[in-house]
Amino acid sequence: MPDAPANGPLGRLRLTDGLVLGFVGVLSAALHGVAIAAGLRFSSKDFSARQLSQIWQLLPTRLLRHDLVSSLAHLHSQPPLFNLVTGVLLELPRATQPLAADLGLAACAVAVAVCTAGILLEFEVKRSVVLFVVLLFVVADPAQYLYAGFYFYALPTAALATAAGWAATRWVRTERVVPGVAFGALAAMLVLTNSSYQVYTVAIASVPVLWVLRRRWRQAIAVLAVPAAVVASWYAIDVIQFHSATTSSWLGMNLARSTLSLDSSADINALIRQGVLSPTARIGPFYDLGAYGALGVHARTGQPALDQREKAGAPNFNNIAYLGISRRYLADDLKWIEHRPGHYLKNTTIGLRLWMLPAEQFYATVNLGAYHLGGYTTVYDAIAMLQPTADPTAVNDVVFAHRGPSLSNLSYTTIAESILALFVLPIVAVRRWRRRRDRALAAGALWIWAMCASVFVSTTLLEAAENNRFRF
């Protein structure tokens, strides 16, 4: 028997809930249509080889166009879906590529709004409250429109994570096959899109859901078998080819941005002289291969995705040599943390403060010509996000000045949201779990909490420059 009643007869949505979801979806789609018509849209130059080469996560454009399958099979720097989607996009006639990207990212933004409303309705929140929360904090959020104008996987990640949360909650409540299939597919796509979501975290987060559904174990195996096999196959490829058990080989270089890169040159050189760090520590991560000397040279593999050193003037961070470079950084990172634990703790507070900024105060969205949205962004951040002073150059200040946002730059709304998501939600979920009839709701809430908490912890510990983008 189910642990909680389904949302309507046989698990179907109530008519009134469907109307709420429909209203949110139509309004969000209409506003994104207005934004596109007003000029917040892509152009052909956004998909030129030179422009796409500025996106570190993408393979060289020539390979995406002419050698996509083989190149994906030799991709170690990132999960495959962003490169796969970009490769498919580049197969379209050049004139239609901007419109396809506009529509795709607008659809992702609409999905975030609709799925957020769906989650709240599953948790039996009053419809009036659902509309207020979703319209104010999702549909009206300028980040939804600015990230829709930024060709990257940030907005698709938000859509996949939110949709997977709704599917998980609906599956565990209704015990129906369709939301189970949706959950499996969406969770797999999330893992294969963004390396912040590793399969280990998703698997642990799914334990409460699968426990509640244990009487339906045959159904669970049936709906999860294919997605699990696809994800496991990708991990197996990485392990066999690159000896990496994650979907990104950049761990060492990413961590260096919150360790070595934020230390003074004098301190780094002193640790190198003491033999604590390697000479690589004085070079910034994510530099071109020539900066690393012999470490940046590797025997040719015969695979262009691994051998090509540059892509239209930018480094190809999927070059095989970056595997060794990143591992060297990881060893230096851990040694640096061992010798500078206080400094590392201080550096994590920089990432934490950046997490508390409005999501659109990120260098890529700030660089969009439409960042201010005619002044709307400033008004929204002051009134809805309760941010005393905006800090749109925060990322540059971290990277170049080694300085994080001040307390007056923090969004008090974001602080409150983070406290609710990271600390209040698990307490409420555990209390409901103890009441057997509420275990389905508790399991859905615990899945959502685990996803939020894992990204918060991993990015705070590993990054200090893009944390508000990760939160988004």
Side-chain angles (χ1 to χ4, degrees), residues 50-69:
R50 182 161 294 277
Q51 192 67 25
L52 290 176
S53 294
Q54 302 309 307
I55 302 175
W56 292 1
Q57 291 78 3
L58 287 179
L59 290 163
T61 306
R62 181 182 63 82
L63 299 182
L64 293 175
R65 285 198 174 107
H66 305 298
D67 194 17
L68 179 60
V69 175

Side-chain angles (χ1 to χ4, degrees), residues 76-78 244 246-253 317 322-323 326:
H76 63 77
S77 59
Q78 288 292 298
S244 173
T246 65
T247 54
S248 172
S249 59
W250 291 356
L251 175 60
M253 293 193 291
F317 290 116
Y322 281 108
L323 278 170
S326 188

Side-chain angles (χ1 to χ4, degrees), residues 16-242:
T16 48
D17 291 346
L19 291 175
V20 169
L21 297 174
F23 175 75
V24 168
V26 169
L27 179 61
S28 179
L31 290 174
H32 278 276
V34 170
I36 291 171
L40 189 57
R41 57 178 178 263
F42 296 108
S43 65
S44 293
K45 72 176 183 179
D46 292 309
F47 301 100
S48 66
R50 182 161 294 277
Q51 192 67 25
L52 290 176
S53 294
Q54 302 309 307
I55 302 175
W56 292 1
Q57 291 78 3
L58 287 179
L59 290 163
T61 306
R62 181 182 63 82
L63 299 182
L64 293 175
R65 285 198 174 107
H66 305 298
D67 194 17
L68 179 60
V69 175
S70 177
S71 297
L72 289 178
H74 297 90
L75 178 67
H76 63 77
S77 59
Q78 288 292 298
L81 280 188
F82 182 45
N83 276 274
L84 174 60
V85 170
T86 302
V88 172
L89 179 69
L90 293 175
E91 289 294 319
L92 299 176
R94 187 171 179 82
T96 66
Q97 292 170 9
L99 179 60
D102 285 331
L103 295 178
L105 287 171
C108 288
V110 173
V112 171
V114 172
C115 294
T116 301
I119 290 172
L120 295 175
L121 291 171
E122 290 296 328
F123 287 146
E124 300 175 347
V125 177
K126 291 183 178 179
R127 296 176 191 87
S128 58
V129 176
V130 171
L131 285 172
F132 173 79
V133 169
V134 174
L135 294 182
L136 178 61
F137 295 113
V138 181
V139 176
D141 186 357
Q144 295 288 326
Y145 304 91
L146 293 169
Y147 277 94
F150 168 38
Y151 186 74
F152 197 59
Y153 57 64
L155 188 50
T157 295
L160 289 169
T162 313
W166 186 20
T169 306
R170 187 142 188 82
W171 184 29
V172 77
R173 290 199 69 199
T174 66
E175 301 187 359
R176 291 165 66 88
V177 171
V178 172
V181 171
F183 169 70
L186 291 164
M189 292 171 66
L190 182 62
V191 171
L192 296 177
T193 297
N194 191 322
S195 61
S196 293
Y197 299 85
Q198 293 294 321
V199 68
Y200 320 109
T201 303
V202 175
I204 292 171
S206 301
V207 169
V209 172
L210 296 175
W211 177 258
V212 173
L213 293 168
R214 62 191 181 279
R215 295 186 185 90
R216 304 269 187 171
W217 62 271
R218 290 184 181 85
Q219 181 197 87
I221 291 175
V223 302
L224 298 180
V226 172
V230 171
V231 172
S233 297
W234 183 260
Y235 274 79
I237 291 172
D238 276 354
V239 170
I240 293 169
Q241 289 192 113
F242 309 116

